[in-house]
Amino acid sequence: MGLLLGLVGVICFSLTLPATSIAVEYFGATVVGLGRTVVAALLVAVVLIVKKEKIPSPRHFKSLLIVALGAVLGFPLLASFAMESLPVSHGAVELALLPLATAGFAIFRAGERPSRKFWISSVIGSLAVIMYALHLGFGQLQYADLALLAAVIILGLSYAEGGMLAKELGSWQVIAWAIMIGAPFFIIPVGLQLSTEMLQAPIQAWVSFFYLAIVSQFLAFVAWYSGLAMGGIARVSQIQYLQPFLMILFATLFLGESITGFTVVTAIIVVISVLIGKNAPVSKKEDSLEKN
C-alpha cells in the first residue's frame, strides 16, 4: 500500500507541468501560480476542521514558513512563469534534479558532510541540465530556465524542511498548514489579475487549473507523504526517479510535444547521477573532526 500510494503521488506530481502549461496560457502565471493555493485553502480548511487538527505551536512556524515559501509560493509561481515559454519535456529534465536538491538540503540540515561521490554526481547532473538548456536555448540560458532551476532549489529546501517537520507535526499536516499560511497573502495579487476574459477559457484550461489547486497542491502531497510513512522513506522515495519520464510521456500524450532522443538521453544521465548522489554516503561533522 505504501508503494502504491507513493506511485499515485508521483503520477499526480508528474501531471503538474502539463497542467500548468495548459492553464497558464489562459490565466497567466500569477493566477495559476498563486490562485491554486487560494482554491486549495478552501479544501484544506474543511479537512482541518473535520479532523479537528490543532494549530501548530509557535516553534513550528519558522519551518512552516520555509515550506510555504517553497512549495506554496516559490515553486508554483516560478514553474508557471517557466511554462509560459518552455516545453514540458524541457522542464521535466530540469526538475529531475529535485531529489538531489532535496537530499543536499536534508544532509546539511542534519549537520552531515556529503561525500565526494555526492559532489561529483551533483556536478555531473547539474552540468547535464545546463548543457541541455544551452543547447535548446541556442547557446544561452533563458530566463525561464533560470526560473525553473531556482524553483528546484527552493522546493528542495522546503521538501527537506518539511520532511524534518513531518516527524513532529504529521505528514500531510505540513503542506496543509503551509497552504493556510500562504493563501491569505495571495488573495489580493490573484484578485488584481482576474478578468472577465478568463471566463471564456476552454474546459481543458479550467480542468487543468482545478487539478493544480486540488490535486497537485494538496491531495498529491497526502498520497506521497502517506506512502513514505507506510512503506518507508528509503524504499518509496525511489519511485520519484520515474517522474521526469512520466512528465515527458504526459507531454507527448496531452500536449503533442515531439520528444527527441537528446531529451531522453539527458534525462537518463540526470536521473542516474541523482540516484548515485542521493544514495552517496555521508559522515557526521563530529566524525570528521575526530579524524583530524
Side-chain angles (χ1 to χ4, degrees):
M1 183 59 69
L3 287 171
L4 179 60
L5 287 172
L7 179 60
V8 169
V10 166
I11 293 174
C12 291
F13 287 135
S14 299
L15 284 164
T16 297
L17 287 191
T20 300
S21 181
I22 295 173
V24 77
E25 180 180 351
Y26 300 95
F27 303 126
T30 300
V31 173
V32 174
L34 303 182
R36 57 196 270 187
T37 299
V38 176
V39 175
L42 300 176
L43 172 61
V44 170
V46 172
V47 174
L48 291 174
I49 292 173
V50 170
K51 295 185 72 66
K52 298 180 180 179
E53 292 289 331
K54 295 181 179 179
I55 297 177
S57 64
R59 67 187 180 87
H60 292 142
F61 184 77
K62 179 181 177 181
S63 293
L64 283 172
L65 186 59
I66 292 174
V67 175
L69 289 174
V72 177
L73 172 61
F75 178 79
L77 192 59
L78 290 170
S80 296
F81 169 74
M83 286 300 98
E84 286 183 319
S85 57
L86 290 182
V88 171
S89 56
H90 188 134
V93 172
E94 297 183 2
L95 285 187
L97 288 173
L98 180 57
L100 195 60
T102 304
F105 281 115
I107 288 171
F108 287 112
R109 182 71 171 79
E112 298 175 332
R113 289 185 182 276
S115 65
R116 182 177 299 178
K117 182 185 291 186
F118 176 88
W119 290 117
I120 292 175
S121 60
S122 298
V123 170
I124 292 174
S126 300
L127 286 178
V129 167
I130 292 173
M131 290 176 61
Y132 177 78
L134 288 173
H135 174 74
L136 295 185
F138 302 103
Q140 63 181 0
L141 287 174
Q142 303 177 51
Y143 286 117
D145 287 304
L146 297 176
L148 207 52
L149 291 174
V152 168
I153 294 173
I154 192 172
L155 187 59
L157 173 60
S158 68
Y159 271 5
E161 192 68 28
M164 299 288 291
L165 183 59
K167 297 177 182 178
E168 298 182 33
L169 200 59
S171 54
W172 65 267
Q173 289 89 337
V174 172
I175 188 62
W177 288 113
I179 289 173
M180 297 307 294
I181 289 175
F185 297 98
F186 301 163
I187 294 175
I188 293 179
V190 171
L192 293 175
Q193 295 296 317
L194 294 177
S195 66
T196 55
E197 295 178 357
M198 294 179 180
L199 297 175
Q200 307 302 318
I203 185 65
Q204 60 264 34
W206 286 105
V207 170
S208 297
F209 175 75
F210 281 106
Y211 177 89
L212 292 170
I214 297 173
V215 180
S216 293
Q217 195 64 57
F218 182 56
L219 294 182
F221 281 97
V222 174
W224 177 243
Y225 282 134
S226 298
L228 291 176
M230 295 176 64
I233 294 176
R235 187 183 183 197
V236 177
S237 64
Q238 304 303 308
I239 301 175
Q240 65 188 324
Y241 297 116
L242 295 173
Q243 188 164 305
F245 302 105
L246 288 173
M247 283 187 181
I248 292 173
L249 174 62
F250 293 144
T252 304
L253 293 177
F254 299 125
L255 302 176
E257 291 187 8
S258 57
I259 307 303
T260 64
F262 184 58
T263 297
V264 176
V265 170
T266 305
I268 292 173
I269 292 173
V270 175
V271 168
I272 291 175
S273 66
V274 169
L275 178 60
I276 294 173
K278 188 172 179 292
N279 294 315
V282 296
S283 61
K284 291 287 186 180
K285 291 183 178 180
E286 296 77 13
D287 296 339
S288 298
L289 291 174
E290 288 177 2
K291 292 179 180 179
N292 296 331

